[in-house]
Amino acid sequence: MGAMTTDRPEIEIRGLHKFFGDNHVLRGIDLEVARGEVVCVIGPSGSGKSTLLRCVNLLEEPSEGQVFVGGTEVTDLDVDIDAVRRRIGMVFQQFNLFPHVNVTDNLALPQRRVLGRDKARAVAVAAENLERVGLADKSTAFPAQLSGGQQQRVAIARALSMGPEVMLFDEPTSALDPELVGEVLSVMRVLAGEGMTMMVVTHEMSFAREVADRVVFMDGGVIVEEGPAAQVIGDPRQERTRNFLNRILDPASAEAPRTAPGPPAEDDGGS
């Protein structure tokens, strides 16, 4: 089902544009993600990061350009969208669990509906993936009985239960209390170590620095800078990247201009 050759990128994005009315959100994105690679996408709010992710599994329809996953062009008008989505696991900011069924059923129901697995097989796969995320003991709990961190780990296990080739994470820790962030990131670290191909939109710089093979900095709908995490986060070449990281990594210094005159803010509106 995947690409015949192993040297083809798992995700290939070419000349991607996205308009919402007059708002040009993505302005010609070119990006490749190799099989087994972890790419973290960082950037300010409104830079197009989440839209980029949503275009990969067609939750948003690209206005122009092409997206390939595993060698299949997902932007081809004749493509089977459901078949594409089965290959791509997606984890959102919100957990989107079914509140009225327990954790096992949250994992088993999508397998039965989408993949046609019988109940015994779906439950077995659910148990296996709850074990992977450290929640084997919560199989009969309902979502409301879980912490936010546990709910997000269930959401990750649910995505894994579908047997995806690629995992997309859209700010998976941004809705969590700070003390719960670590448990979700540790599950993602394990997945990365297992060789899962991952695109992660995140504001967790320490995670990006530690786990990402590559970091992509987006601003104003374009990729401003990309490269190894140590270079992009540790020694950025572009002023826009430096300004963003200064605000994220040292919020105190970003507050300073309010009380003391500083250089004018760079206008990112155009590009």
Side-chain angles (χ1 to χ4, degrees), residues 45-166:
S45 199
S47 58
K49 309 181 299 294
S50 293
T51 302
L52 173 62
L53 221 54
R54 293 169 70 86
C55 282
V56 172
N57 74 346
L58 300 183
L59 283 174
E60 298 290 355
E61 198 177 317
S63 304
E64 287 173 41
Q66 294 173 295
V67 177
F68 297 82
V69 177
T72 299
E73 186 188 344
V74 304
T75 40
D76 183 332
L77 294 176
D78 296 326
V79 80
D80 179 344
I81 290 180
D82 293 329
V84 167
R85 290 199 181 125
R86 284 199 283 274
R87 300 164 67 174
I88 304 169
M90 181 106 183
V91 178
F92 302 88
Q93 299 178 27
Q94 302 328 115
F95 323 124
N96 301 329
L97 300 177
F98 303 126
H100 57 287
V101 298
N102 69 24
V103 164
T104 294
D105 284 341
N106 262 282
L107 272 62
L109 287 172
Q111 296 177 61
R112 296 179 69 192
R113 283 182 193 159
V114 178
L115 304 179
R117 285 179 180 155
D118 64 48
K119 184 172 184 181
R121 172 79 181 127
V123 167
V125 170
E128 192 181 301
N129 284 294
L130 287 173
E131 182 81 47
R132 280 172 90 181
V133 301
L135 290 174
D137 59 332
K138 298 292 183 185
S139 60
T140 58
F142 283 76
Q145 298 170 306
L146 303 177
S147 71
Q150 289 170 332
Q151 289 187 60
Q152 189 61 295
R153 283 151 64 198
V154 170
I156 294 172
R158 178 180 58 186
L160 292 172
S161 293
M162 305 298 281
E165 296 162 30
V166 169

